[in-house]
Structure formats: structure tokens, C-alpha cells
Amino acid sequence: MRLKLVIVSSLIAAVIGAGGVIAIILFVFSSLTPLMKPGAVVFSTLLLPLVATLIASIFVYRHTARRRRLQAALTTIISLLLILAAFVLASIVTSRSRPPQTPPVLQGT
């Protein structure tokens, strides 16, 4: 089994997938209110990690001779776990550095 290939491709997929989404959310959106409403924006931010994981798994599958399915599955699992860990870490780091935003109070009629 090519363990180095599995680990390196999983790390690259996690950095590209999670790093891209975190950068988009932190630097493009001024607030998190567009992400609270499901739509095309939320779908597109979740699509990047899945595409990066899929490309890494296909890459590992095509560049190994034996146990292709096992190594591709390991790449998928490891990269998804790393992406999830990056999302949790980013939410912890950003919640401490930014004060919580309170929604504006609406006056009743």
C-alpha cells in the first residue's frame, strides 16, 4: 500500500477544500447571514471540499496498482475527517477573535 500517497493526497485535498471554503467565508462575506439561508451560495461553498476529495480519491485510484478501492476509500475518509477538523478549528478560532453580532431589533407595528 502506498501510504505516503494516500496521506499526502488527503492533506492536499483537505487544504484546498477546507482552506478555500474558509477563505471564501471569512474574506468574501462581511457577515454570516447569507450562509444562514439555504441556497446556491451555501451549496457552492460545500461543493468545493467534495470536489477536492473526489479528485484526490480518483488520483490515488489511478496511481496505485493493488488495492485500488481500499486506498481510494482511505483517501476519501481521511480527507473528509481533515476537512471536518479544519472547519471545527476555524469556527473555534474565529469565534474567539470576533465579538458576536447581534441582529437588529425590529419594532412591532
Side-chain angles (χ1 to χ4, degrees), residues 14-30 32 35 45 48-49 86-87 90-91 94 98:
V15 167
I16 290 173
V21 171
I22 291 168
I24 288 170
I25 289 173
L26 291 180
F27 297 119
V28 173
F29 299 121
S30 59
L32 296 178
L35 295 176
T45 57
L48 183 61
F87 285 157
S91 68
T94 56
R98 292 184 180 181

Side-chain angles (χ1 to χ4, degrees), residues 40-99:
V41 176
V42 176
F43 179 71
S44 66
T45 57
L46 295 177
L47 192 63
L48 183 61
L50 294 177
V51 168
T53 302
L54 178 69
I55 290 172
S57 297
I58 291 172
F59 179 80
V60 168
Y61 182 82
R62 297 298 298 164
H63 286 84
T64 55
R66 297 179 187 164
R67 298 184 189 148
R68 290 182 172 202
R69 292 182 189 152
L70 175 65
Q71 292 179 26
L74 280 175
T75 303
T76 303
I77 292 169
I78 292 171
S79 62
L80 289 176
L81 288 175
L82 288 172
I83 288 170
L84 182 65
F87 285 157
V88 168
L89 184 67
S91 68
I92 290 171
V93 169
T94 56
S95 68
R96 291 183 181 170
S97 65
R98 292 184 180 181

